[in-house]
Amino acid sequence: MVTDKSAAFKEIRNLLYVLGAGILGALLLGMVLIFLYGPSGKYVIKNIIPEPGMLSELRISDPDNTKEKTIFVYDGTYFFTYDQSKNERKKIPVSFDQYKQIFTLIAKDTSLEEVSEDIIEKFSTGFPSVLTIKI
């Protein structure tokens, strides 16, 4: 009987070794893949904002708790800025051609890995300008 218990113990120990090695291997593989293929923190603007041709076709379907779907469609593009002389925010509609020009100007821009204090200061104002796509 002693041999049966020791054989069972060895089989359980070997099974735990295999499971542990599998888990450890999966963790190591995951870490290597994240290190090699993870986010670089560098993004191209044209991959973030919609292309002008897509705006008119933009439809987002959002199923709610009932069996009905809510469909959101493109409703316009607006530029919000702060008018210091009037001390108020201004909402300026952006036409399709203007949006196309904006997209063409910034499409090749990429995010910065190191941001200078000058750029941080420009975005730290109390009233930053915002381009909004309304759906």
Side-chain angles (χ1 to χ4, degrees):
M1 281 199 168
V2 176
T3 58
D4 290 337
K5 283 187 179 181
S6 64
F9 175 75
K10 285 181 182 178
E11 285 186 33
I12 291 173
R13 185 187 66 199
N14 290 340
L15 178 64
L16 291 176
Y17 283 150
V18 169
L19 288 174
I23 291 171
L24 184 62
L27 289 173
L28 288 174
L29 179 65
M31 289 171 47
V32 166
L33 291 175
I34 288 173
F35 178 75
L36 293 177
Y37 302 108
S40 64
K42 191 167 189 165
Y43 302 99
V44 180
I45 298 293
K46 71 177 181 180
N47 295 338
I48 297 173
I49 63 174
E51 292 186 28
M54 284 181 43
L55 289 179
S56 61
E57 300 171 11
L58 187 62
R59 284 173 179 54
I60 299 172
S61 177
D62 184 28
D64 53 16
N65 290 338
T66 64
K67 294 187 179 183
E68 297 178 18
K69 286 186 179 180
T70 305
I71 297 176
F72 298 96
V73 295
Y74 171 71
D75 191 33
T77 305
Y78 301 95
F79 182 73
F80 292 92
T81 188
Y82 182 72
D83 186 359
Q84 291 181 348
S85 63
K86 295 181 181 178
N87 198 22
E88 66 183 14
R89 291 189 62 83
K90 288 176 61 176
K91 177 182 177 182
I92 304 167
V94 177
S95 70
F96 177 77
D97 290 332
Q98 291 171 327
Y99 181 77
K100 195 173 183 180
Q101 287 177 341
I102 292 169
F103 185 83
T104 304
L105 286 173
I106 65 173
K108 293 183 181 177
D109 287 351
T110 59
S111 58
L112 303 173
E113 290 184 23
E114 295 196 24
V115 182
S116 67
E117 288 296 323
D118 182 41
I119 294 174
I120 291 173
E121 186 176 309
K122 288 180 181 178
F123 284 94
S124 296
T125 63
F127 303 100
S129 296
V130 178
L131 182 67
T132 303
I133 298 171
K134 186 177 177 185
I135 55 170

